[in-house]
Amino acid sequence: MALENSKEKNFSDWYAEVVQKSEMADYSSIQGCMVVRENAYGVWEAIQEAFNAMIKAIGHRNALFPLFIPKSLLTKEAEHFAGFTPEVAWVTRGGDTELSEPLAIRPTSETIMYESYAKWIHSHRDLPLLLNQWCTVVRWETKATKPFIRTREVPWQEGHTVHATKEEADAEVMLILGFYKKILEEYLAVPVLIGKKSDGEKFAGALYTTTCEALMPDGKALQSATSHNLGQNFAKAFGIRFKDKDETEQYAWQASWGMSTRVIGAMIMVHGDDKGVVIPPRVAPLKVVIIPIAYSKPEDAKKVAKYCEGIYAKLKAAGISVKLDDRDDKSAGWKYNEWELKGVPLRLEIGLKDIEKDAVMMVRRDTGQKNSVAKEGLEKSVEDELEKMQHQLFEKAKKSRDERISDAKDYGEFKKALEDKKGFVRMSFCDERECEETINKETTATVRLISFDDHKPKHKACGHCGKPAKVTAYFAKSY
Amino acid sequence: MALENSKEKNFSDWYAEVVQKSEMADYSSIQGCMVVRENAYGVWEAIQEAFNAMIKAIGHRNALFPLFIPKSLLTKEAEHFAGFTPEVAWVTRGGDTELSEPLAIRPTSETIMYESYAKWIHSHRDLPLLLNQWCTVVRWETKATKPFIRTREVPWQEGHTVHATKEEADAEVMLILGFYKKILEEYLAVPVLIGKKSDGEKFAGALYTTTCEALMPDGKALQSATSHNLGQNFAKAFGIRFKDKDETEQYAWQASWGMSTRVIGAMIMVHGDDKGVVIPPRVAPLKVVIIPIAYSKPEDAKKVAKYCEGIYAKLKAAGISVKLDDRDDKSAGWKYNEWELKGVPLRLEIGLKDIEKDAVMMVRRDTGQKNSVAKEGLEKSVEDELEKMQHQLFEKAKKSRDERISDAKDYGEFKKALEDKKGFVRMSFCDERECEETINKETTATVRLISFDDHKPKHKACGHCGKPAKVTAYFAKSY
């Protein structure tokens, strides 16, 4: 059961191994498609619950549009089609019959949804339209796949909203980006930088794209969620028009935004260790596991079993997700390893000595720290420790990420920082496509984001080409 | 906005119209695929929450397996493949490349899941394995489609469990059937009969199938959820073996069970009326709508608005899903019609007279009954009324269903009852395939279920062929 690979020494193999052994994901017989196993799906359900609460509180609702998109519909917005067509999976046969028109499996749902939106929207009173769906999308990747990080079928949510003005669409984009940051930082404990994508990296068909970028231990950035202002591009292609208050006919403004199970990959990479995955308490499907110490004397074993059942009932009654692992064919040590591998935040070890003290031994998954905790008030002690662990996981990850953000004033510094620090390099930048492409060709790094908050560049000249700098950009290698 | 068709006179057109106008579903440009709109998806989310709670409480967990099934995998269990292959949608191209092996879009996931199960299960300690997934399946129907009732893409849940013995699989089948009955009767307020399917109607590859059958207003039965004991058929085809306590190698026993958005169709058909859909309170995404009466005097309008906001805050604080419809460009009457169409269980009308009495006018969606209810304690009055409505919807539907169950001792009575009563006909039956096929050919009715509870037939001879009766069967025409 133990891991053969070390996170430090052999990151990529460690990831492949830990994902499978911790029962987060498994490979299937379809190349590039994975099974999201129960341990990871439980994390996804916690994310769904949290994100649904956020978006529903401000009027969004969930719906479900068809899996299929007729080819003619997919081609309606030219830039969008060009962006997605190389990686579309096509259904060409139903039963024994060849279809008259091939159907794409949705790579994303703009086109199939906006066909309906055009039917539904007539007046400014129909706006804003605020829909989201949870589904899977398919992109027939030719790059090497990696569970959660890059797969051919991707579970995600996609929000698609329609607004009367550009300003309202702008506000939606930023609102949702804030929710994504919250999910990543406050639930998955993964720190992210937020900003705008360069023109070369934006969503096919969008006016602009905003992004949450996390940093993985191997120095690669991971695009974790994106939120786009689509402008009026799709509205014009699909005829989404409304009669405004002044009775004039207008094209609508649109936003779309998505976050996938990729964020679970980020969580595993950032917090996992050589014992297995570490699941932050707020998204852990199982938060506490109770393990009775085995005794050979039946009366001792009985005493421990009874005490453990009481602790289990106590925590369960308090609404804490808890499991009592009372299998009698495994040693306590074997169980410790198994639940560490699966990332359960807290372990309670209980033996005769603990019972004598009316206590339990509480062990933290992330630090291994042991504390004897009184039975009385245990619910609160457990909840406090879970909260503490949640915060400490984030603080530790943030410190590590922050240490890997470097500043470069010129290309020499840039290349050195990229190699030495293995992280983000911040540089004043001309924001021109050609310059970005040259940097990419020479270093494999790309512009991960253009900063919102220090938009005005520090230096007057682009650190690479010397032309006037327009923005502050964060570069990194990426997944 | 009003419905053009009458439920009584023109049931089929009424259904098509009400589904669309109430924003439960819409047609898409792919024939046979529908958009599940926000009003229906909210019902589905309520079902998901309730069903997840039931299955998780006894150890089931959710996961997600791939959408695709390689052709070679789908063919592994011969009876299963023969049953599904005529209606499989095939992906043959990825990007610009022809696939070397066509991939089926899952019509159901036995084959793709059991390939993994064979890898995961080694010992009796790995059992039971209790997984479920929420996803959509695709069956390329050639029959006429109908929103929720029969579509090419179907949102559903499918549970797939593995057990050490036939008895444990039997118990699982019945446990889940009980959950389905609960969802249908206690949440959707749709009464169902439960029983076993005849051999001709069972799931392709199963040992036996159990079913929940509802009765629609047009006299047709609707198969609403099914739970199968798969025996060892798939275990043998996929090599799902385990080492038992006595160290012998055994094939596992399996169960699978599914419920789809079809149950939302049943809910609409059973409770809807000529004003629109009626959503039972426990699954209604929006339970209460507050509508202020309009006044021309600004101070009156202000007074009403303020009072309404107070009521809204009061109900919201109590955790009741409520909306204040304060649009100023629609009359109160227009709003009544809209929310009736969409099926919101309770409406609160508020005008100056209500304010004088420190009260609100509460109107039930199903009966139209109006009651002046005190502002003090309104939360409880609303909750009580919602519960009362939930029960009364079910009781009314059950009475109507019960009136359409007839007994027939011979084929003459059978045919008469089928035409006159438009419902279930109960008859002692030989349970032979040939006899069932003759009845079907002559009357279009099929065996909807074989009763569990009065399994011993009332008459010695089959009501149709006169051979010895083995079971009590419920026949009906069906969707």
Side-chain angles (χ1 to χ4, degrees):
Chain A
M1 204 165 63
L3 298 179
E4 286 160 22
N5 292 288
S6 141
K7 185 180 182 186
E8 177 89 24
K9 290 184 202 146
N10 200 350
F11 182 69
S12 183
D13 292 342
W14 168 84
Y15 181 76
E17 188 186 5
V18 78
V19 156
Q20 219 177 349
K21 286 200 176 157
S22 64
E23 300 183 355
M24 300 295 281
D26 200 359
Y27 298 92
S28 76
S29 61
I30 304 111
Q31 205 197 326
C33 291
M34 68 172 171
V35 180
V36 182
R37 292 196 68 179
E38 49 275 33
N39 204 16
Y41 203 83
V43 174
W44 191 233
E45 288 180 310
I47 293 171
Q48 289 183 321
E49 195 185 332
F51 190 69
N52 273 333
M54 290 177 197
I55 62 173
K56 286 183 180 183
I58 53 166
H60 296 74
R61 286 191 292 171
N62 290 327
L64 188 61
F65 287 74
L67 170 66
F68 302 115
I69 306 175
K71 190 174 179 182
S72 53
L73 208 57
L74 196 60
T75 60
K76 270 202 168 181
E77 209 285 335
E79 213 177 307
H80 182 71
F81 182 64
F84 283 102
T85 190
E87 48 184 41
V88 165
W90 295 100
V91 175
T92 61
R93 216 165 355 122
D96 292 329
T97 315
E98 292 292 317
L99 303 186
S100 56
E101 182 184 12
L103 298 175
I105 311 280
R106 62 175 163 239
T108 176
S109 299
E110 276 73 9
T111 55
I112 186 78
M113 290 174 80
Y114 301 167
E115 183 190 40
S116 289
Y117 285 12
K119 282 197 296 180
W120 299 341
I121 292 167
H122 307 288
S123 151
H124 64 94
R125 293 185 195 104
D126 302 321
L127 299 178
L129 179 64
L130 306 171
L131 295 184
N132 177 65
Q133 70 180 13
W134 297 90
C135 62
T136 69
V137 285
V138 171
R139 295 170 190 183
W140 213 251
E141 294 283 352
T142 47
K143 290 190 200 172
T145 55
K146 199 187 256 302
F148 299 114
I149 301 299
R150 173 171 283 114
T151 52
R152 284 180 164 173
E153 185 187 8
V154 182
W156 79 345
Q157 62 63 223
E158 50 179 322
H160 293 266
T161 63
V162 190
H163 309 268
T165 65
K166 176 172 183 300
E167 289 65 36
E168 286 171 46
D170 285 338
E172 172 81 8
V173 168
M174 289 306 295
L175 199 59
I176 300 293
L177 190 70
F179 290 165
Y180 286 150
K181 187 172 158 70
K182 211 174 161 78
I183 292 287
L184 279 149
E185 298 197 332
E186 295 177 23
Y187 289 81
L188 296 164
V190 171
V192 291
L193 296 175
I194 57 170
K196 247 173 86 167
K197 283 288 182 190
S198 66
D199 262 12
E201 295 274 330
K202 75 175 187 187
F203 179 74
L207 199 60
Y208 65 84
T209 289
T210 65
T211 183
C212 288
E213 301 277 326
L215 189 60
M216 299 301 105
D218 59 354
K220 286 189 190 166
L222 188 79
Q223 178 178 306
S224 304
T226 50
S227 178
H228 321 285
N229 187 326
L230 302 178
Q232 296 178 308
N233 295 343
F234 286 91
K236 284 178 183 166
F238 287 85
I240 306 177
R241 275 185 296 257
F242 66 97
K243 197 165 269 182
D244 211 346
K245 283 173 194 160
D246 63 3
E247 294 289 306
T248 61
E249 195 87 9
Q250 308 278 356
Y251 282 109
W253 293 83
Q254 295 182 265
S256 74
W257 27 277
M259 173 179 61
S260 78
T261 47
R262 184 173 238 215
V263 297
I264 296 174
M267 176 197 87
I268 296 169
M269 286 185 170
V270 169
H271 305 302
D273 61 25
D274 289 353
K275 292 177 177 174
V277 298
V278 176
I279 307 182
R282 270 186 218 157
V283 292
L286 181 63
K287 298 193 203 314
V288 180
V289 62
I290 301 169
I291 298 177
I293 309 293
Y295 290 89
S296 47
K297 272 198 208 163
E299 64 266 35
D300 289 344
K302 220 178 212 170
K303 197 172 173 189
V304 171
K306 209 185 147 198
Y307 189 85
C308 286
E309 278 157 24
I311 297 289
Y312 172 78
K314 196 175 165 72
L315 294 180
K316 205 174 155 87
I320 297 167
S321 166
V322 56
K323 188 185 178 78
L324 169 57
D325 185 352
D326 54 6
R327 289 175 291 177
D328 54 13
D329 60 312
K330 303 283 186 220
S331 71
W334 197 96
K335 292 177 187 176
Y336 297 168
N337 290 340
E338 179 176 1
W339 297 111
E340 281 176 351
L341 182 59
K342 290 184 177 170
V344 177
L346 287 183
R347 175 172 86 225
L348 305 182
E349 306 174 3
I350 297 174
L352 289 176
K353 279 184 196 163
D354 303 294
I355 299 178
E356 268 169 37
K357 288 192 284 180
D358 260 331
V360 303
M361 187 60 77
M362 181 159 73
V363 188
R364 276 260 297 262
R365 167 64 185 89
D366 55 335
T367 57
Q369 201 185 326
K370 287 188 170 202
N371 267 312
S372 180
V373 178
K375 183 177 170 181
E376 201 184 317
L378 181 64
E379 304 91 326
K380 187 159 183 327
S381 305
V382 162
E383 274 163 3
D384 288 350
E385 195 65 39
L386 290 170
E387 268 305 285
K388 199 168 143 193
M389 175 172 167
Q390 180 78 34
H391 290 292
Q392 289 179 343
L393 279 176
F394 177 70
E395 289 307 327
K396 189 180 163 207
K398 188 166 181 300
K399 186 164 174 287
S400 159
R401 191 275 316 267
D402 287 347
E403 285 166 2
R404 291 175 292 151
I405 303 178
S406 318
D407 280 291
K409 68 169 186 305
D410 59 38
Y411 199 45
E413 280 187 18
F414 178 91
K415 285 192 285 192
K416 191 169 179 326
L418 199 65
E419 287 316 307
D420 291 358
K421 288 292 195 75
K422 297 200 184 307
F424 290 111
V425 187
R426 187 164 41 199
M427 186 170 77
S428 299
F429 179 56
C430 62
D431 199 18
E432 284 185 20
R433 199 135 174 183
E434 203 184 318
C435 184
E436 185 178 351
E437 280 167 9
T438 310
I439 295 173
N440 177 241
K441 208 173 291 173
E442 292 174 6
T443 67
T444 76
T446 47
V447 174
R448 299 319 302 157
L449 60 90
I450 291 163
S451 181
F452 290 132
D453 44 317
D454 52 354
H455 196 269
K456 212 182 156 202
K458 199 171 166 188
H459 301 282
K460 282 188 179 158
C462 170
H464 177 252
C465 70
K467 284 189 200 165
K470 289 202 196 103
V471 300
T472 303
Y474 287 75
F475 292 81
K477 299 180 182 183
S478 74
Y479 277 97
Chain B
M1 204 164 63
L3 298 179
E4 285 159 23
N5 292 288
S6 141
K7 185 181 182 185
E8 178 88 25
K9 290 184 200 145
N10 200 350
F11 182 69
S12 182
D13 292 342
W14 168 85
Y15 181 75
E17 190 186 5
V18 78
V19 157
Q20 220 178 348
K21 286 199 176 158
S22 64
E23 300 182 355
M24 300 295 282
D26 201 359
Y27 298 92
S28 77
S29 62
I30 304 111
Q31 205 197 327
C33 292
M34 67 171 172
V35 179
V36 182
R37 292 196 67 179
E38 50 276 32
N39 203 16
Y41 203 84
V43 173
W44 190 234
E45 288 179 310
I47 292 171
Q48 289 184 320
E49 195 185 332
F51 190 70
N52 273 334
M54 291 176 197
I55 62 172
K56 285 183 181 183
I58 53 165
H60 296 74
R61 287 190 293 171
N62 290 326
L64 188 62
F65 287 74
L67 170 66
F68 302 115
I69 306 176
K71 191 175 177 182
S72 54
L73 208 56
L74 196 61
T75 59
K76 270 202 167 179
E77 208 287 334
E79 213 178 306
H80 181 72
F81 182 64
F84 283 102
T85 189
E87 48 183 41
V88 165
W90 295 99
V91 175
T92 61
R93 216 169 350 127
D96 292 330
T97 315
E98 291 294 316
L99 302 185
S100 56
E101 180 184 12
L103 297 175
I105 311 279
R106 62 174 163 239
T108 176
S109 299
E110 276 74 8
T111 54
I112 186 78
M113 290 172 80
Y114 302 167
E115 184 191 39
S116 289
Y117 284 13
K119 282 197 294 178
W120 298 341
I121 292 168
H122 307 288
S123 151
H124 65 93
R125 295 187 192 102
D126 300 323
L127 301 178
L129 179 64
L130 307 171
L131 294 184
N132 176 66
Q133 70 180 13
W134 296 91
C135 62
T136 70
V137 285
V138 171
R139 296 171 189 182
W140 213 251
E141 295 282 353
T142 48
K143 291 190 199 170
T145 55
K146 198 186 256 306
F148 300 113
I149 302 297
R150 172 171 283 113
T151 53
R152 283 180 164 173
E153 186 188 8
V154 183
W156 80 344
Q157 62 64 224
E158 50 179 323
H160 294 267
T161 63
V162 190
H163 308 268
T165 65
K166 177 172 183 299
E167 290 64 37
E168 285 171 47
D170 284 338
E172 171 82 7
V173 168
M174 289 306 296
L175 198 60
I176 299 294
L177 190 71
F179 290 164
Y180 286 150
K181 187 172 157 70
K182 210 174 163 79
I183 292 287
L184 279 148
E185 298 197 332
E186 295 177 24
Y187 288 82
L188 296 163
V190 172
V192 291
L193 296 175
I194 58 170
K196 246 173 86 168
K197 283 287 182 191
S198 66
D199 261 14
E201 295 274 329
K202 75 175 187 188
F203 179 74
L207 199 61
Y208 65 84
T209 288
T210 66
T211 183
C212 289
E213 299 278 326
L215 189 61
M216 298 301 106
D218 60 354
K220 286 188 188 164
L222 189 78
Q223 178 179 307
S224 304
T226 50
S227 179
H228 322 286
N229 186 326
L230 302 178
Q232 296 178 309
N233 295 341
F234 287 90
K236 284 176 183 168
F238 286 85
I240 305 176
R241 276 185 295 257
F242 66 96
K243 197 166 269 183
D244 211 345
K245 284 173 191 158
D246 62 5
E247 295 288 307
T248 61
E249 194 87 7
Q250 308 277 356
Y251 282 109
W253 294 83
Q254 294 182 265
S256 74
W257 27 278
M259 174 179 60
S260 78
T261 47
R262 183 173 238 214
V263 298
I264 297 175
M267 177 197 86
I268 296 169
M269 285 186 170
V270 168
H271 304 302
D273 61 24
D274 289 352
K275 291 177 177 175
V277 298
V278 176
I279 307 183
R282 270 186 218 157
V283 292
L286 182 62
K287 299 193 201 314
V288 180
V289 62
I290 301 168
I291 299 176
I293 310 293
Y295 291 89
S296 47
K297 272 198 207 162
E299 65 266 34
D300 289 344
K302 221 178 212 170
K303 198 172 171 190
V304 171
K306 210 184 146 198
Y307 188 85
C308 286
E309 278 157 23
I311 297 289
Y312 172 78
K314 196 175 165 73
L315 295 180
K316 205 175 156 87
I320 297 166
S321 165
V322 57
K323 189 185 177 77
L324 169 57
D325 185 352
D326 55 5
R327 289 174 291 178
D328 55 11
D329 60 313
K330 303 282 186 219
S331 71
W334 197 97
K335 292 176 186 176
Y336 297 168
N337 291 340
E338 179 175 3
W339 297 111
E340 281 176 352
L341 182 60
K342 290 184 177 171
V344 178
L346 288 183
R347 175 172 85 225
L348 305 183
E349 305 174 3
I350 297 173
L352 289 176
K353 279 184 196 162
D354 305 293
I355 299 176
E356 268 168 35
K357 289 192 283 180
D358 258 332
V360 303
M361 187 60 77
M362 181 160 72
V363 188
R364 276 260 295 261
R365 168 61 185 90
D366 55 336
T367 58
Q369 202 185 325
K370 286 186 169 202
N371 268 312
S372 180
V373 177
K375 182 177 170 181
E376 202 184 316
L378 181 64
E379 304 90 327
K380 185 158 186 328
S381 306
V382 162
E383 274 163 3
D384 288 350
E385 195 65 38
L386 289 170
E387 268 304 284
K388 199 167 142 193
M389 176 172 166
Q390 181 78 34
H391 290 292
Q392 289 179 343
L393 279 176
F394 176 70
E395 290 305 329
K396 191 179 161 207
K398 187 166 182 299
K399 187 163 174 285
S400 160
R401 191 274 316 267
D402 287 346
E403 284 166 3
R404 290 176 293 151
I405 302 177
S406 318
D407 281 293
K409 69 170 187 305
D410 59 38
Y411 199 45
E413 279 188 17
F414 178 91
K415 285 192 285 191
K416 192 169 181 322
L418 199 65
E419 288 316 309
D420 290 0
K421 288 292 195 75
K422 296 200 185 308
F424 289 112
V425 187
R426 186 163 43 199
M427 188 170 78
S428 299
F429 179 56
C430 62
D431 199 18
E432 285 184 20
R433 199 133 171 184
E434 203 184 318
C435 184
E436 185 178 351
E437 279 167 9
T438 311
I439 294 172
N440 177 240
K441 210 173 286 169
E442 291 174 8
T443 66
T444 75
T446 46
V447 175
R448 300 319 303 157
L449 61 90
I450 291 164
S451 181
F452 291 131
D453 43 318
D454 51 356
H455 196 269
K456 213 184 155 198
K458 199 172 166 187
H459 301 282
K460 282 187 179 161
C462 169
H464 176 252
C465 71
K467 285 189 198 165
K470 288 201 197 105
V471 299
T472 303
Y474 286 75
F475 292 81
K477 299 181 183 184
S478 74
Y479 277 98

